[in-house]
Amino acid sequence: MLAIEKILKERLEGIAVVICGSGLIAEYLNSPEGFNSTITCVVKPLTVAAIESILNIANNCEETATPEFAIHPLSTGKNWGYGSSLPIEGSKSNVILDLSSLDNITYFDKENGIVSLQPGVTQQQLFDYLHENNHPYMVPVTGAGPTTSILSNALERGYGITPIADHFTSVMSIKGFLADGSFYQSSLQCMSDMANGHNSECYVDKTFKWKHGPYLDGIFTQSGNMIVTEITLSLARVKPAFDSFYMRFFDKESFDNAYAVVKEIFQNLEGVVGSINLMDKRRVAAMVADNPQGCGNHKVMTDEQVDAISKHYDVPEWTLVGTVYGTHSVAKAAKSDIKKIARGKADQVLFSSDPLIKLGQVVTKKLSLAILDSAREQLDKLSAGMEVMQGKPSQVALPLAYWRNPRVRPDKSRLMNPAKDGCGLLWYAPLVPAKVSSMKAFIEMVRSITPKYNIEPMITFTNLSGISTDSTIPIVFDLENPQAVEDAHACLQALFDEGLKQGFIPYRLNIQQQLELNANSTFWKTAGKIAHALDPAGIISPARYNPYKP
């Protein structure tokens, strides 16, 4: 039999780069999660047409005497904490299809903010495009930072803190190749092509999400059912007025008050206020201070250390962060309403538009006094956070991954890459019932389980609406400490198992957890049958969110 690498190089010459050899593919094997996988080679298509060619090769292995292989598409491979660039291991050889070179913005409607883009388009690239062309729209940013793919986050059904928090909500259409090499596009586009010729410009396809008949685009998210080559997004317009608000709750028993404020804001101002983040003291402490235990120590901060950081940086028990978008009159009225809602509950309410904040930013920039260092650092982080809320990509959240990395320190003057820098990171990201009793039970569960494994209990709630809450728990560890790696994985499993018992269900799973899904449930049987009908030979990421084998 011919080697897979040899036949791919011969057949894809000029239309794709084929990367072989352990040294060259090493970067794809970097796993901050501590996972292991095998990769035969990496294919980087230079054109969309090259994807059809590699699918043709995979479908005709017998004719070319090539061993069977599975294709694992990735956009930029920066799925840190869930698997990064690694494929899910199966029975076939793994070929990574790196789509990062397909980085064109193929369409933009400046009147309505409709953009079509390829897999390699990053948050920063889209931001630069909008900024350079003076288009008043916001990038659907995430905490993963400027080098990550817009398309892949939307297909993973990710979310952020800009006005359209649920990113798949804004996906209007999807195009790509099915496993047999056929090209998929919507019924609207097909009708337009029949009337106007192949590849006609069908504007309504880019603006009407639901198309005709059964809604199919959803089966190409969190799956291996297609190699997606383009999505069309509806971007949120930059509003005339923007304000961000920060509330601080200092009492140890203040969670009830904090979440009561969240609920009331959504009940009265949903549509004006974006998603709201609620972070505990340890999470904020990790944002503003270095690890007092030392990055190489596999230990949890003591209460005394947390209190010392809190005293130095004035960190409360709970910090609430949200945004207001609208006209100037709407933003002004919303600010007044938010202050009323928080009165008697929050110990402090700050708005980014407050004169005191603006004065502090000016003073700390102009005066380089050591006494102002703490205030300067906090105001810098505040400014970075505000930029994210306005759709500007930022690395403000990435230093967290380096919390226990004794070899590489976070440096915002360069593009950070937790996988390349040898950070240890896993995510526990469950949906939590949006009720005070459930959320307090979740807090208690996290704080009781994580220290048993020497993992720092850092809690963030992202309130997507008044009825939907997700929590992100970062499991940060030293990747080169075998005990720390073992503890991190055991901690995630313990949170996962106990969380299921209490009704906390992850909305997103890493590549190992996907292998452990219940193949006998009606849901996964149905999803598996759809996958098998589209890809009977299991050519495209066959085990991705697919435990069922017909």
Side-chain angles (χ1 to χ4, degrees):
M1 276 194 174
L2 294 174
I4 295 168
E5 306 97 298
K6 185 176 187 301
I7 191 70
L8 289 175
K9 279 191 172 184
E10 290 175 355
R11 297 279 296 277
L12 299 175
E13 185 177 2
I15 58 174
V17 176
V18 180
I19 303 170
C20 308
S22 57
L24 295 174
I25 66 174
E27 67 174 282
Y28 295 89
L29 294 169
N30 290 329
S31 169
E33 305 84 9
F35 295 138
N36 293 302
S37 218
T38 57
I39 298 173
T40 299
C41 62
V42 176
V43 176
K44 294 186 75 170
L46 302 177
T47 66
V48 172
I51 298 172
E52 186 177 5
S53 297
I54 189 175
L55 284 168
N56 187 6
I57 297 167
N59 276 292
N60 295 283
C61 286
E62 201 170 305
E63 293 177 19
T64 56
T66 307
E68 289 190 342
F69 61 93
I71 300 168
H72 299 271
L74 57 84
S75 296
T76 58
K78 297 180 172 68
N79 195 22
W80 300 312
Y82 293 101
S84 301
S85 300
L86 293 183
I88 299 176
E89 284 285 22
S91 58
K92 296 181 180 181
S93 298
N94 297 318
V95 173
I96 294 291
L97 187 67
D98 181 349
L99 302 172
S100 60
S101 295
L102 303 179
D103 59 357
N104 293 318
I105 294 171
T106 58
Y107 177 86
F108 188 80
D109 170 29
K110 63 182 179 181
E111 182 179 352
N112 293 313
I114 307 300
V115 62
S116 300
L117 46 80
Q118 292 181 324
V121 176
T122 64
Q123 293 185 31
Q124 189 64 49
Q125 185 181 345
L126 180 56
F127 177 82
D128 291 342
Y129 176 85
L130 297 173
H131 181 71
E132 289 164 7
N133 292 284
N134 201 28
H135 296 317
Y137 297 96
M138 301 170 72
V139 176
V141 293
T142 69
T147 63
T148 53
S149 166
I150 298 284
L151 178 147
S152 61
N153 179 260
L155 294 183
E156 193 63 21
R157 302 203 288 269
Y159 58 82
I161 201 167
T162 46
I164 306 176
D166 178 352
H167 292 163
F168 184 65
T169 299
S170 65
V171 175
M172 296 293 110
S173 67
I174 294 177
K175 295 181 180 180
F177 289 95
L178 300 178
D180 64 2
S182 57
F183 188 72
Y184 171 93
Q185 55 189 1
S186 83
S187 59
L188 295 174
Q189 183 66 59
C190 291
M191 283 185 171
S192 178
D193 286 353
M194 288 178 67
N196 302 296
H198 186 59
N199 289 332
S200 64
E201 193 66 70
C202 182
Y203 184 74
V204 293
D205 173 54
K206 301 178 187 297
T207 57
F208 182 65
K209 186 179 180 79
W210 305 114
K211 321 306 181 188
H212 300 105
Y215 181 69
L216 297 182
D217 283 8
I219 67 173
F220 305 118
T221 67
Q222 286 196 356
S223 75
N225 292 335
M226 185 203 286
I227 298 173
V228 179
T229 59
E230 180 185 283
I231 61 171
T232 297
L233 294 165
S234 172
L235 301 178
R237 184 181 290 272
V238 174
K239 300 296 188 290
F242 162 86
D243 211 345
S244 54
F245 54 90
Y246 305 82
M247 298 184 195
R248 289 139 65 82
F249 302 80
F250 284 92
D251 190 271
K252 285 189 178 296
E253 304 302 322
S254 59
F255 181 80
D256 294 55
N257 279 338
Y259 191 61
V261 170
V262 172
K263 292 286 277 190
E264 193 169 347
I265 287 174
F266 275 122
Q267 287 166 2
N268 292 283
L269 296 168
E270 193 160 13
V272 176
V273 172
S275 61
I276 298 175
N277 276 359
L278 193 54
M279 297 174 285
D280 77 343
K281 184 194 290 188
R282 287 180 183 256
R283 179 66 183 86
V284 175
M287 291 173 65
V288 300
D290 290 331
N291 187 344
Q293 291 283 16
C295 297
N297 283 333
H298 184 47
K299 292 180 181 178
V300 175
M301 287 187 289
T302 66
D303 290 341
E304 290 75 21
Q305 288 172 325
V306 176
D307 288 342
I309 292 173
S310 299
K311 184 176 180 180
H312 182 75
Y313 291 96
D314 198 26
V315 178
E317 288 292 325
W318 290 96
T319 300
L320 186 154
V321 183
T323 48
V324 174
Y325 306 93
T327 62
H328 290 284
S329 58
V330 166
K332 184 178 179 181
K335 180 177 179 179
S336 176
D337 286 341
I338 289 168
K339 285 183 175 179
K340 290 175 184 174
I341 290 169
R343 191 172 297 143
K345 297 185 181 73
D347 294 299
Q348 187 179 32
V349 181
L350 297 171
F351 284 81
S352 58
S353 61
D354 288 346
L356 188 62
I357 295 290
K358 294 185 179 297
L359 177 63
Q361 289 171 327
V362 171
V363 170
T364 54
K365 279 182 182 176
K366 291 190 178 245
L367 300 177
S368 57
L369 300 175
I371 196 171
L372 296 176
D373 285 351
S374 175
R376 185 180 297 108
E377 187 173 350
Q378 290 197 63
L379 287 169
D380 284 347
K381 284 184 168 63
L382 177 68
S383 296
M386 286 166 54
E387 289 178 345
V388 171
M389 296 170 198
Q390 295 177 82
K392 182 177 181 180
S394 170
Q395 298 194 108
V396 66
L398 285 181
L400 176 68
Y402 297 76
W403 178 250
R404 286 190 176 172
N405 186 339
R407 296 162 297 280
V408 181
R409 302 310 304 136
D411 179 4
K412 292 179 185 175
S413 67
R414 65 177 178 87
L415 291 174
M416 288 182 271
N417 185 322
K420 184 178 178 180
D421 291 338
C423 298
L425 176 66
L426 289 161
W427 286 104
Y428 174 54
L431 298 162
V432 181
K435 299 174 182 292
V436 169
S437 58
S438 296
M439 296 173 80
K440 289 175 77 171
F442 178 79
I443 294 165
E444 174 60 30
M445 182 192 80
V446 172
R447 290 177 176 172
S448 64
I449 289 177
T450 53
K452 295 177 184 176
Y453 301 92
N454 291 307
I455 298 299
E456 200 70 59
M458 297 183 277
I459 300 173
T460 299
F461 290 108
T462 300
N463 303 279
L464 302 173
S465 69
I467 62 170
S468 180
T469 298
D470 172 84
S471 180
T472 45
I473 307 299
I475 298 174
V476 185
F477 56 99
D478 181 357
L479 191 62
E480 293 191 10
N481 179 339
Q483 186 61 55
V485 175
E486 182 181 333
D487 283 353
H489 284 261
C491 181
L492 178 58
Q493 191 64 51
L495 289 169
F496 182 89
D497 292 341
E498 182 58 30
L500 290 182
K501 294 175 186 176
Q502 297 194 37
F504 313 134
I505 318 294
Y507 91 101
R508 189 171 174 184
L509 302 171
N510 66 45
I511 59 173
Q512 183 60 44
Q513 291 170 324
Q514 290 174 40
L515 293 172
E516 297 164 2
L517 290 165
N518 179 10
N520 293 317
S521 71
T522 300
F523 176 88
W524 289 115
K525 281 183 179 179
T526 304
K529 288 174 182 176
I530 292 171
H532 183 70
L534 294 172
D535 185 5
I539 289 171
I540 304 174
S541 298
R544 180 165 164 72
Y545 284 98
N546 182 22
Y548 179 70
K549 299 295 179 285

